[in-house]
Amino acid sequence: QKDLVIKSACIVGGGIAGMALANTLVKNEVEVKIHERELPHRHKGFGFLILDNGVDALDVLGFGSKARQLGNPINKFIALNPQGERVIEQDMYNCLALRRKDLYKILNENLSKECFEFESSYQSLIKDANNTVQGIQLKNDCSCTSDMIIACDGVRSEIRQDLFPDAQLEIAGEVEILGMIDFKLQDFEANEFI
Protein backbone atom coordinates (compact mmCIF):
# COMPACT_ATOMS: atom_id res chain seq x y z
CA GLN A 1 0.00 0.00 0.00
CA LYS A 2 1.33 3.42 -0.93
CA ASP A 3 0.17 5.12 2.27
CA LEU A 4 1.47 2.40 4.62
CA VAL A 5 4.20 3.89 6.81
CA ILE A 6 6.05 1.70 9.26
CA LYS A 7 7.80 3.65 12.01
CA SER A 8 8.00 0.96 14.68
CA ALA A 9 8.26 -2.81 14.73
CA CYS A 10 8.05 -5.45 17.42
CA ILE A 11 9.97 -8.65 16.68
CA VAL A 12 9.23 -11.73 18.78
CA GLY A 13 12.35 -13.87 18.71
CA GLY A 14 15.92 -12.64 18.99
CA GLY A 15 17.55 -15.48 17.12
CA ILE A 16 19.24 -15.26 13.75
CA ALA A 17 16.07 -14.46 11.78
CA GLY A 18 14.93 -11.83 14.29
CA MET A 19 18.28 -10.07 14.42
CA ALA A 20 18.77 -10.17 10.64
CA LEU A 21 15.33 -8.62 10.19
CA ALA A 22 16.00 -6.05 12.92
CA ASN A 23 19.17 -4.93 11.12
CA THR A 24 17.23 -4.40 7.89
CA LEU A 25 14.51 -2.42 9.66
CA VAL A 26 17.02 -0.26 11.59
CA LYS A 27 18.80 0.56 8.31
CA ASN A 28 15.41 1.77 7.05
CA GLU A 29 14.95 3.99 10.13
CA VAL A 30 12.31 1.82 11.76
CA GLU A 31 12.33 1.79 15.57
CA VAL A 32 12.75 -1.85 16.59
CA LYS A 33 12.14 -3.78 19.80
CA ILE A 34 13.17 -7.44 19.88
CA HIS A 35 11.52 -9.60 22.53
CA GLU A 36 13.64 -12.67 23.29
CA ARG A 37 12.65 -15.33 25.83
CA GLU A 38 16.27 -16.29 26.63
CA LEU A 39 19.00 -14.39 28.42
CA PRO A 40 21.53 -12.48 26.30
CA HIS A 41 24.63 -14.17 24.90
CA ARG A 42 23.17 -17.63 24.64
CA HIS A 43 24.97 -19.61 22.00
CA LYS A 44 23.19 -22.94 21.82
CA GLY A 45 24.38 -25.17 19.03
CA PHE A 46 27.63 -25.71 17.22
CA GLY A 47 27.57 -23.61 14.12
CA PHE A 48 26.38 -23.51 10.55
CA LEU A 49 27.24 -24.65 7.12
CA ILE A 50 25.99 -21.61 5.23
CA LEU A 51 25.21 -22.47 1.62
CA ASP A 52 25.70 -20.05 -1.27
CA ASN A 53 22.20 -18.53 -1.04
CA GLY A 54 22.79 -17.83 2.67
CA VAL A 55 26.14 -16.20 1.90
CA ASP A 56 24.39 -14.12 -0.77
CA ALA A 57 21.79 -13.06 1.84
CA LEU A 58 24.57 -12.04 4.24
CA ASP A 59 26.06 -9.94 1.42
CA VAL A 60 22.72 -8.21 0.83
CA LEU A 61 22.44 -7.48 4.56
CA GLY A 62 25.98 -6.06 4.55
CA PHE A 63 27.50 -8.84 6.68
CA GLY A 64 29.11 -11.04 4.03
CA SER A 65 32.61 -9.60 4.38
CA LYS A 66 32.62 -10.01 8.17
CA ALA A 67 31.22 -13.56 7.86
CA ARG A 68 34.02 -14.46 5.46
CA GLN A 69 36.59 -13.07 7.94
CA LEU A 70 35.23 -15.12 10.85
CA GLY A 71 34.15 -18.22 8.94
CA ASN A 72 35.93 -20.86 6.94
CA PRO A 73 35.28 -21.41 3.23
CA ILE A 74 33.97 -24.88 2.43
CA ASN A 75 34.48 -26.37 -1.00
CA LYS A 76 33.43 -29.98 -0.41
CA PHE A 77 30.86 -31.84 1.70
CA ILE A 78 31.66 -35.42 2.70
CA ALA A 79 29.35 -37.70 4.70
CA LEU A 80 30.75 -40.85 6.28
CA ASN A 81 28.95 -43.90 7.59
CA PRO A 82 29.88 -45.37 11.00
CA GLN A 83 32.58 -47.49 9.36
CA GLY A 84 34.27 -44.36 7.99
CA GLU A 85 33.28 -45.00 4.39
CA ARG A 86 32.27 -42.07 2.23
CA VAL A 87 28.56 -42.23 1.44
CA ILE A 88 28.12 -38.74 0.00
CA GLU A 89 30.65 -36.45 -1.60
CA GLN A 90 29.58 -33.15 -3.12
CA ASP A 91 31.46 -30.08 -4.32
CA MET A 92 30.35 -26.81 -2.68
CA TYR A 93 30.61 -23.28 -4.04
CA ASN A 94 30.57 -19.99 -2.10
CA CYS A 95 29.86 -21.77 1.20
CA LEU A 96 31.03 -21.00 4.72
CA ALA A 97 31.32 -22.84 8.00
CA LEU A 98 30.59 -20.30 10.73
CA ARG A 99 30.32 -20.67 14.48
CA ARG A 100 26.90 -19.78 15.86
CA LYS A 101 28.36 -17.31 18.36
CA ASP A 102 30.21 -15.53 15.52
CA LEU A 103 27.01 -15.13 13.51
CA TYR A 104 25.25 -13.74 16.59
CA LYS A 105 28.16 -11.34 17.09
CA ILE A 106 27.97 -10.13 13.47
CA LEU A 107 24.20 -9.60 13.59
CA ASN A 108 24.36 -7.90 16.98
CA GLU A 109 27.04 -5.31 16.10
CA ASN A 110 24.67 -2.70 14.63
CA LEU A 111 21.84 -3.15 17.12
CA SER A 112 21.73 -1.08 20.29
CA LYS A 113 21.10 -2.67 23.67
CA GLU A 114 17.83 -0.73 23.77
CA CYS A 115 16.56 -2.84 20.85
CA PHE A 116 16.41 -5.92 23.08
CA GLU A 117 14.03 -7.01 25.81
CA PHE A 118 15.34 -10.29 27.24
CA GLU A 119 13.36 -12.86 29.20
CA SER A 120 10.33 -11.57 27.33
CA SER A 121 8.19 -14.12 25.56
CA TYR A 122 4.82 -14.18 23.83
CA GLN A 123 1.68 -14.80 25.89
CA SER A 124 -1.36 -13.89 23.77
CA LEU A 125 -2.83 -11.72 21.03
CA ILE A 126 -4.51 -8.43 21.93
CA LYS A 127 -7.71 -8.08 19.89
CA ASP A 128 -10.35 -5.36 19.63
CA ALA A 129 -14.14 -5.81 19.73
CA ASN A 130 -14.10 -6.83 16.04
CA ASN A 131 -11.54 -9.57 16.75
CA THR A 132 -8.85 -7.64 14.88
CA VAL A 133 -5.33 -8.09 16.24
CA GLN A 134 -4.08 -4.85 17.80
CA GLY A 135 -0.93 -6.12 19.46
CA ILE A 136 0.52 -8.84 21.61
CA GLN A 137 0.74 -9.44 25.34
CA LEU A 138 4.09 -10.69 26.63
CA LYS A 139 4.68 -12.85 29.70
CA ASN A 140 6.76 -10.21 31.47
CA ASP A 141 3.75 -7.86 31.78
CA CYS A 142 4.75 -5.94 28.66
CA SER A 143 2.61 -5.44 25.63
CA CYS A 144 3.50 -4.47 22.11
CA THR A 145 1.34 -2.38 19.79
CA SER A 146 3.90 -1.34 17.18
CA ASP A 147 3.02 -0.52 13.57
CA MET A 148 4.25 -4.01 12.66
CA ILE A 149 4.54 -7.19 14.75
CA ILE A 150 6.75 -9.92 13.33
CA ALA A 151 6.94 -13.48 14.61
CA CYS A 152 10.46 -14.86 14.42
CA ASP A 153 9.85 -17.33 17.22
CA GLY A 154 10.76 -20.48 15.36
CA VAL A 155 9.17 -23.57 13.96
CA ARG A 156 6.96 -24.02 17.05
CA SER A 157 5.70 -20.43 16.88
CA GLU A 158 2.94 -19.79 19.41
CA ILE A 159 1.96 -16.65 17.53
CA ARG A 160 1.45 -18.58 14.30
CA GLN A 161 -0.60 -21.17 16.21
CA ASP A 162 -2.84 -18.42 17.64
CA LEU A 163 -3.24 -16.64 14.29
CA PHE A 164 -3.73 -19.80 12.21
CA PRO A 165 -4.94 -22.53 14.59
CA ASP A 166 -5.93 -24.91 11.77
CA ALA A 167 -2.69 -24.58 9.77
CA GLN A 168 -0.49 -27.65 9.63
CA LEU A 169 3.24 -27.44 8.97
CA GLU A 170 4.54 -29.49 6.08
CA ILE A 171 7.81 -31.36 6.08
CA ALA A 172 10.29 -29.50 3.89
CA GLY A 173 12.01 -32.66 2.77
CA GLU A 174 15.37 -31.64 4.19
CA VAL A 175 16.96 -33.38 7.14
CA GLU A 176 19.84 -32.03 9.14
CA ILE A 177 22.00 -34.53 10.92
CA LEU A 178 24.38 -33.12 13.45
CA GLY A 179 26.49 -34.94 15.95
CA MET A 180 29.96 -35.41 17.29
CA ILE A 181 31.99 -38.55 16.99
CA ASP A 182 35.48 -39.62 17.95
CA PHE A 183 37.00 -40.31 14.54
CA LYS A 184 40.55 -40.06 13.26
CA LEU A 185 40.48 -38.03 10.05
CA GLN A 186 42.54 -39.29 7.19
CA ASP A 187 43.05 -38.23 3.62
CA PHE A 188 41.01 -35.04 3.93
CA GLU A 189 42.04 -31.69 2.61
CA ALA A 190 41.47 -28.29 4.14
CA ASN A 191 38.09 -26.67 3.46
CA GLU A 192 36.16 -29.95 3.45
CA PHE A 193 33.06 -30.27 5.62
CA ILE A 194 32.93 -33.76 7.10
Side-chain angles (χ1 to χ4, degrees), residues 83-189:
Q83 292 75 36
E85 301 164 335
R86 294 179 187 212
V87 292
I88 298 172
E89 187 167 334
Q90 181 176 340
D91 290 332
M92 309 291 281
Y93 304 97
N94 191 31
C95 298
L96 286 174
L98 188 63
R99 293 185 306 178
R100 181 177 294 266
K101 74 176 191 175
D102 288 337
L103 186 53
Y104 274 104
K105 178 182 176 183
I106 291 167
L107 294 173
N108 197 24
E109 284 179 355
N110 297 328
L111 299 175
S112 69
K113 291 179 182 179
E114 291 76 31
C115 285
F116 291 92
E117 183 74 38
F118 292 102
E119 296 184 284
S120 177
S121 58
Y122 171 78
Q123 180 173 318
S124 62
L125 298 173
I126 300 171
K127 297 183 178 183
D128 65 14
N130 296 322
N131 210 29
T132 302
V133 175
Q134 299 296 308
I136 58 172
Q137 182 65 44
L138 299 151
K139 291 180 182 172
N140 61 344
D141 294 327
C142 289
S143 62
C144 180
T145 55
S146 298
D147 296 332
M148 182 185 332
I149 299 170
I150 306 152
C152 291
D153 55 336
V155 69
R156 294 179 187 88
S157 172
E158 293 178 30
I159 297 173
R160 183 181 53 245
Q161 290 171 6
D162 283 354
L163 288 170
F164 311 106
D166 299 326
Q168 296 293 320
L169 295 180
E170 295 182 26
I171 296 175
E174 297 292 327
V175 177
E176 179 179 328
I177 301 170
L178 183 63
M180 295 189 68
I181 59 171
D182 185 13
F183 184 78
K184 184 177 178 176
L185 294 178
Q186 52 193 347
D187 299 327
F188 293 107
E189 299 177 23

Side-chain angles (χ1 to χ4, degrees), residues 50-81:
I50 303 176
L51 301 178
D52 58 347
N53 62 339
V55 175
D56 291 345
L58 288 171
D59 284 333
V60 169
L61 290 170
F63 301 121
S65 177
K66 188 73 169 183
R68 285 180 188 85
Q69 289 174 6
L70 295 174
N72 294 305
I74 300 296
N75 59 23
K76 186 171 286 216
F77 171 82
I78 300 171
L80 307 175
N81 67 16

Side-chain angles (χ1 to χ4, degrees), residues 9-14 18-19 21-27 30-36 107-118 120 144 146:
C10 171
I11 300 173
V12 179
M19 288 200 302
L21 176 60
N23 274 281
T24 301
L25 292 171
V26 166
K27 283 181 186 176
V30 175
E31 182 183 326
V32 172
K33 182 62 93 172
I34 302 170
H35 293 273
E36 169 55 44
L107 294 173
N108 197 24
E109 284 179 355
N110 297 328
L111 299 175
S112 69
K113 291 179 182 179
E114 291 76 31
C115 285
F116 291 92
E117 183 74 38
F118 292 102
S120 177
C144 180
S146 298

